[in-house]
Amino acid sequence: MTFHDYIIIGGGPAGVQMGYFLETAGRDYRILERAERVGTFFETYPRHRRLNSFNKVNNWFQEPDFNLRFDWHTLLTHDHSFRYRGYSKEIFPDAGTLAKYLQDFRAHFGIKVQFDTDVTYIDRDPETRHFIISTAGGEEYRCRVLLIATGPVRAKMPKIP
């Protein structure tokens, strides 16, 4: 059993972004990611390979906060130091560039991810109120705060007559 104050399930944009803020705050956390690297969703989807989100590379404003309104791919940092800008100049970029950006972002900031970890069950300890996370590999994780960053999911309903 491994304990962390915070556990994030999912290593996509939301999970990596939350990992950045927990890392810079010096918190005890771990991201649990099913794949062997972050951002793998964008290596397959969308099927047409173009992001439908806007990427305005060039604009004339000096204010970083204003420019981020037109930059839908950059993850937030305290100093705007790791922008998506250099990964694509296309208005609707190829999805693979976002996956590469997320992987580089994670490596650059040392965000802690446990790869190849498929979460199969979540429960809560009635005494401590800690979350209990079980994985397909038989590992058990516990945490005070659980953040789900998996994107939309569909329930698996068993076929019971």
Side-chain angles (χ1 to χ4, degrees), residues 82-145:
F82 207 90
R83 303 270 312 271
Y84 176 80
R85 175 179 287 180
Y87 287 80
S88 177
K89 294 187 184 315
E90 298 178 69
I91 297 289
F92 299 103
D94 180 79
T97 61
L98 184 56
K100 177 71 171 123
Y101 170 75
L102 293 171
Q103 293 158 16
D104 292 348
F105 188 95
R106 184 209 63 83
H108 180 78
F109 290 106
I111 296 169
K112 299 175 186 79
V113 182
Q114 179 68 41
F115 294 108
D116 298 313
T117 305
D118 189 10
V119 172
T120 56
Y121 189 75
I122 300 170
D123 203 351
R124 200 147 194 196
D125 186 307
E127 292 178 23
T128 64
R129 303 300 295 156
H130 290 159
F131 289 95
I132 305 166
I133 299 114
S134 302
T135 69
E139 301 98 354
E140 180 179 288
Y141 294 85
R142 290 184 180 233
C143 63
R144 286 185 314 103
V145 179

Side-chain angles (χ1 to χ4, degrees), residues 4-139:
H4 294 285
D5 286 332
Y6 300 84
I7 290 182
I8 304 163
I9 299 176
V16 173
Q17 179 70 84
M18 195 66 226
Y20 167 81
F21 287 119
L22 292 171
E23 181 68 31
T24 57
R27 303 299 175 122
D28 172 33
Y29 76 96
R30 190 72 49 180
I31 298 172
L32 303 181
E33 169 55 42
R34 178 187 304 168
E36 62 280 353
R37 61 191 168 277
V38 298
T40 57
F41 174 89
F42 296 101
E43 293 174 355
T44 305
Y45 299 100
R47 293 275 187 213
H48 54 75
R49 303 307 303 136
R50 292 281 167 205
L51 296 173
N52 65 356
S53 46
F54 196 64
N55 181 37
K56 187 173 182 181
V57 178
N58 301 309
N59 64 48
W60 54 91
F61 299 102
Q62 297 301 314
E63 182 186 347
D65 289 340
F66 183 85
N67 288 333
L68 283 174
R69 293 184 207 165
F70 301 101
D71 179 358
W72 292 5
H73 307 108
T74 293
L75 296 182
L76 302 176
T77 61
H78 291 91
D79 59 0
H80 308 287
S81 64
F82 207 90
R83 303 270 312 271
Y84 176 80
R85 175 179 287 180
Y87 287 80
S88 177
K89 294 187 184 315
E90 298 178 69
I91 297 289
F92 299 103
D94 180 79
T97 61
L98 184 56
K100 177 71 171 123
Y101 170 75
L102 293 171
Q103 293 158 16
D104 292 348
F105 188 95
R106 184 209 63 83
H108 180 78
F109 290 106
I111 296 169
K112 299 175 186 79
V113 182
Q114 179 68 41
F115 294 108
D116 298 313
T117 305
D118 189 10
V119 172
T120 56
Y121 189 75
I122 300 170
D123 203 351
R124 200 147 194 196
D125 186 307
E127 292 178 23
T128 64
R129 303 300 295 156
H130 290 159
F131 289 95
I132 305 166
I133 299 114
S134 302
T135 69
E139 301 98 354

